[in-house]
Amino acid sequence: MITVSIIIPAYNAAATLPATLKSALIQEDDSFKLEIIVVNDGSTDQSQVILDNYCEECKIITTENRGVSAARTTGLEHAKGDYIQYLDSDDLLMPGKIKQQLNALIDTQADIAYGDWQKFTQKGEEITITETISKQIGINPELDIFNNFWCPPAVLLFSKKITDRLAWKPNLPVIQDARYLLDAASIGKFVYVPGMQAQYRIMQSKSLSQRDSLAFVTDCFVNTGEIYERWKNELAENPDKKQALINSLRYCITEFSIAKSKLSNKAIDLLLKIAPGYVPPEPALHHNVSKLIGFKNAEKLAAIKRNLGK
């Protein structure tokens, strides 16, 4: 019988773990075997006390605190499933999610299933849906994901064949789930499964990317540099990939200049390595000044203007 492993990294998640575990346990179905693995990543709250009540239904692994990438990797190392479901400890799977996506993967021989999802907040027992996302990946999954497609791990179901070829990136602590999906797109086939698949909790205390915007932009820059190394031999024949890298670097350059980060110059240098003599098409003033004194010097002036306008 096919086995599906649900891997749940948990760090100080006592407040949300029961609901998350319930959403995992109700995925059980006669057509497949369900394995639930929870990696307690050095929690200091009551997470372990809660997990002690689930020892019969779940495999509990307790480690020192090493971060979510290490926790997911540990869970995968212990997983016996033919298919892998990553589930963060504050998100929820919709009833029947795994069965529906599993059938789609088997029928299409795809590697990754995804579907629609919702963002929600919770106050007491009251859940409020803040946004419903129904979006499909385009004909070039890797480029589409790099440009503008993201969904939380709960929305996805992977074949073990593809997770064996992927790795979580601890050097990208803020955007590691986006990078994992991007790496999957470079080697795998997606299938869209209509319908609501998962719910993603928006923390009232703000997400990591919202709490530390410079860390988020730094991850974006590091990621762009790594993807450039993957794509660099394709750029002459694939202007869309070249433009995607330029767009990402322009975003990083702007944000770095506002934060007065030394990484701004490194981002400019990488952009000029990708596109020597680059002149931005807009805004008009930046375009004209770049033509006169070069993009790097024009960016120095633009940075001054951005900071004066704050």
Side-chain angles (χ1 to χ4, degrees):
M1 180 179 284
I2 289 173
T3 298
V4 178
S5 299
I6 302 178
I7 297 171
I8 305 174
Y11 175 69
N12 288 350
T16 59
L17 257 176
T20 297
L21 288 167
K22 180 180 178 181
S23 81
L25 288 165
I26 63 172
Q27 301 299 316
E28 189 172 4
D29 189 86
D30 292 339
S31 61
F32 60 88
K33 182 180 178 182
L34 188 65
E35 176 188 54
I36 300 175
I37 301 171
V38 185
V39 180
N40 180 8
D41 184 37
S43 296
T44 57
D45 65 354
Q46 295 297 302
S47 292
Q48 187 62 53
V49 174
I50 291 169
L51 291 173
D52 288 343
N53 297 318
Y54 290 88
C55 289
E56 293 185 7
E57 299 101 327
C58 306
K59 181 185 294 184
I60 312 298
I61 301 169
T62 300
T63 67
E64 62 183 16
N65 180 239
R66 295 180 298 161
V68 68
S69 284
R72 288 170 177 151
T73 300
T74 297
L76 186 62
E77 289 170 350
H78 287 80
K80 298 178 181 178
D82 307 286
Y83 295 86
I84 302 296
Q85 169 72 66
Y86 295 109
L87 176 61
D88 288 350
S89 58
D90 54 356
D91 294 341
L92 305 172
L93 301 178
M94 300 302 286
K97 184 266 191 191
I98 287 182
K99 181 178 182 179
Q100 188 180 13
Q101 291 191 337
L102 178 60
N103 289 338
L105 288 176
I106 293 171
D107 290 345
T108 63
Q109 294 298 296
D111 303 291
I112 312 111
Y114 72 104
D116 307 329
W117 55 287
Q118 294 174 324
K119 297 179 181 180
F120 76 97
T121 59
Q122 185 170 2
K123 188 173 183 180
E125 297 298 318
E126 183 180 352
I127 289 179
T128 302
I129 304 301
T130 62
E131 186 178 359
T132 296
I133 296 92
S134 180
K135 186 177 182 181
Q136 296 189 42
I137 297 170
I139 58 174
N140 189 331
E142 190 179 15
L143 183 60
D144 203 24
I145 290 168
F146 183 85
N147 278 331
N148 59 18
F149 182 90
W150 179 81
C151 64
V155 179
L156 305 157
L157 182 65
F158 295 89
S159 70
K160 183 65 160 50
K161 290 184 296 183
I162 198 168
T163 59
D164 284 343
R165 300 170 63 191
L166 298 170
W168 289 95
K169 304 277 288 184
N171 67 315
L172 299 172
V174 183
I175 66 164
Q176 58 192 278
D177 49 358
R179 176 58 183 272
Y180 195 86
L181 184 59
L182 181 64
D183 289 346
S186 71
I187 58 175
K189 175 185 175 184
F190 286 83
V191 59
Y192 170 72
V193 181
M196 205 55 55
Q197 305 296 328
Q199 292 180 321
Y200 173 72
R201 187 185 301 268
I202 303 297
M203 303 299 290
Q204 283 86 340
S205 58
K206 297 187 178 181
S207 68
L208 179 58
S209 61
Q210 291 172 312
R211 293 197 304 269
D212 191 344
S213 60
L214 181 57
F216 172 76
V217 181
T218 300
D219 270 18
C220 289
F221 173 57
V222 172
N223 182 63
T224 302
E226 292 182 355
I227 298 305
Y228 164 67
E229 292 298 323
R230 179 189 296 174
W231 288 354
K232 63 183 179 182
N233 295 328
E234 309 172 38
L235 299 184
E237 294 77 30
N238 198 323
D240 288 342
K241 285 188 174 180
K242 181 176 181 179
Q243 189 59 53
L245 293 170
I246 290 171
N247 291 345
S248 179
L249 288 169
R250 285 200 65 189
Y251 163 74
C252 293
I253 291 164
T254 298
E255 295 301 314
F256 284 148
S257 70
I258 294 171
K260 298 182 180 179
S261 168
K262 293 180 180 180
L263 288 173
S264 181
N265 284 332
K266 290 186 176 182
I268 292 170
D269 290 342
L270 179 55
L271 190 154
L272 292 174
K273 182 178 181 180
I274 295 169
Y278 176 74
V279 174
E282 42 72 36
L285 179 60
H286 202 0
H287 170 85
N288 292 331
V289 175
S290 295
K291 287 179 70 175
L292 287 172
I293 63 174
F295 177 68
K296 190 165 190 174
N297 288 324
E299 263 302 326
K300 291 179 182 178
L301 296 176
I304 295 170
K305 182 180 178 182
R306 290 177 194 127
N307 281 284
L308 288 174
K310 285 198 298 183

